Amino acid sequence: DTGVSQDPRHKITKRGQNVTFRCDPISEHNRLYWYRQTLGQGPEFLTYFQNEAQLEKSRLLSDRFSAERPKGSFSTLEIQRTEQGDSAMYLCASSFWTGGTDTQYFGPGTRLTVL
Amino acid sequence: DQQVKQNSPSLSVQEGRISILNCDYTNSMFDYFLWYKKYPAEGPTFLISISSIKDKNEDGRFTVFLNKSAKHLSLHIVPSQPGDSAVYFCAASPPGTYKYIFGTGTRLKVLA
């Protein structure tokens, strides 16, 4: 199966700790997105990459959050000094953009619980 | 402010009948709309999409209708099956950006 994969699937951490999540997109997809979903809400856009370039960041992405996609393939999302409000499902999606609209395909998500 | 709204948090339908899920949006500039299905502990799965230049798109049992003047789209599932029970999200894409704005979801329960 060559869908979007995310690791870990679950992460429990204590407030103040740093966490890092990984996303592997569908092979040859040139765009990669990060979203966050909290209970009772739809996914909210955080940031996206085209190849290795980070092209847009949401205001939700405070300076404790950083995302990278160093070689235009997998991506990491790091949260420093976690807070209880960071508890959420972090979703990664990828798409193959050739101009015009593209459809994003989501991974299973990483559920973060900050104690 | 919620730019994409799904006002029905839940819906129950008998197996074999039609399920109609609704979505309203506020920004007339949105040019691409999608529906995703989500099972517990999984990521959203793409179902069907529609461009703003169309008013209908069909894929098997799933049809999406777009009414631009009313800023409304709907997803029809015919016939509904128990495996369709999930949370359904509509999403819209603003022009000039490729992020999606999601609604809060509607939980569909198809009763056998």
Side-chain angles (χ1 to χ4, degrees):
Chain A
D1 179 59
T2 56
V4 178
S5 62
Q6 292 187 246
D7 184 68
R9 294 290 306 273
H10 303 274
K11 178 72 176 178
I12 300 173
T13 191
K14 293 183 179 177
R15 190 176 54 187
Q17 298 293 305
N18 299 344
V19 294
T20 300
F21 309 141
R22 177 180 170 122
C23 171
D24 287 88
I26 294 171
S27 179
E28 298 181 359
H29 275 194
N30 52 4
R31 287 194 164 179
L32 186 148
Y33 307 78
W34 286 99
Y35 288 80
R36 180 173 71 186
Q37 184 176 17
T38 53
L39 199 62
Q41 301 296 316
E44 294 175 290
F45 170 80
L46 293 177
T47 188
Y48 91 97
F49 294 82
Q50 181 163 317
N51 299 312
E52 63 274 10
Q54 190 173 18
L55 295 187
E56 190 171 341
K57 290 166 62 171
S58 162
R59 288 170 296 172
L60 292 174
L61 215 63
S62 77
D63 50 11
R64 295 186 297 106
F65 289 70
S66 62
E68 293 184 342
R69 194 182 183 199
K71 297 181 181 177
S73 57
F74 74 92
S75 175
T76 58
L77 177 69
E78 182 183 16
I79 309 174
Q80 296 183 327
R81 305 181 303 282
T82 52
E83 302 173 356
Q84 288 184 325
D86 297 332
S87 295
M89 174 76 83
Y90 289 84
L91 293 162
C92 176
S94 71
S95 68
F96 183 59
W97 182 74
T98 57
T101 56
D102 57 344
T103 298
Q104 297 173 24
Y105 296 90
F106 283 82
T110 294
R111 180 165 295 285
L112 173 65
T113 302
V114 182
L115 302 176
Chain B
D1 61 333
Q2 196 77 17
Q3 296 188 65
V4 177
K5 300 176 187 178
Q6 293 178 257
N7 292 317
S8 298
S10 64
L11 174 69
S12 291
V13 171
Q14 285 295 130
E15 181 180 6
R17 307 294 288 268
I18 183 171
S19 295
I20 300 176
L21 296 100
N22 294 304
C23 180
D24 297 294
Y25 59 95
T26 58
N27 189 340
S28 59
M29 299 299 291
F30 287 157
D31 59 0
Y32 189 54
F33 303 88
L34 310 94
W35 285 94
Y36 284 84
K37 177 170 73 174
K38 188 178 184 304
Y39 294 118
E42 294 184 13
T45 302
F46 169 70
L47 268 179
I48 192 168
S49 62
I50 188 166
S51 164
S52 60
I53 62 172
K54 295 186 173 182
D55 54 20
K56 177 182 173 182
N57 188 26
E58 197 170 347
D59 183 2
R61 297 187 297 114
F62 303 92
T63 303
V64 56
F65 295 91
L66 177 62
N67 183 333
K68 289 183 286 295
S69 61
K71 299 196 196 71
H72 177 84
L73 68 157
S74 61
L75 174 68
H76 292 210
I77 307 173
V78 183
S80 301
Q81 299 173 353
D84 297 329
S85 298
V87 178
Y88 289 78
F89 291 96
C90 69
S93 182
T97 175
Y98 297 96
K99 66 183 178 185
Y100 292 169
I101 298 175
F102 284 83
T104 52
T106 296
R107 181 177 301 277
L108 173 66
K109 191 170 185 179
V110 179
L111 306 169

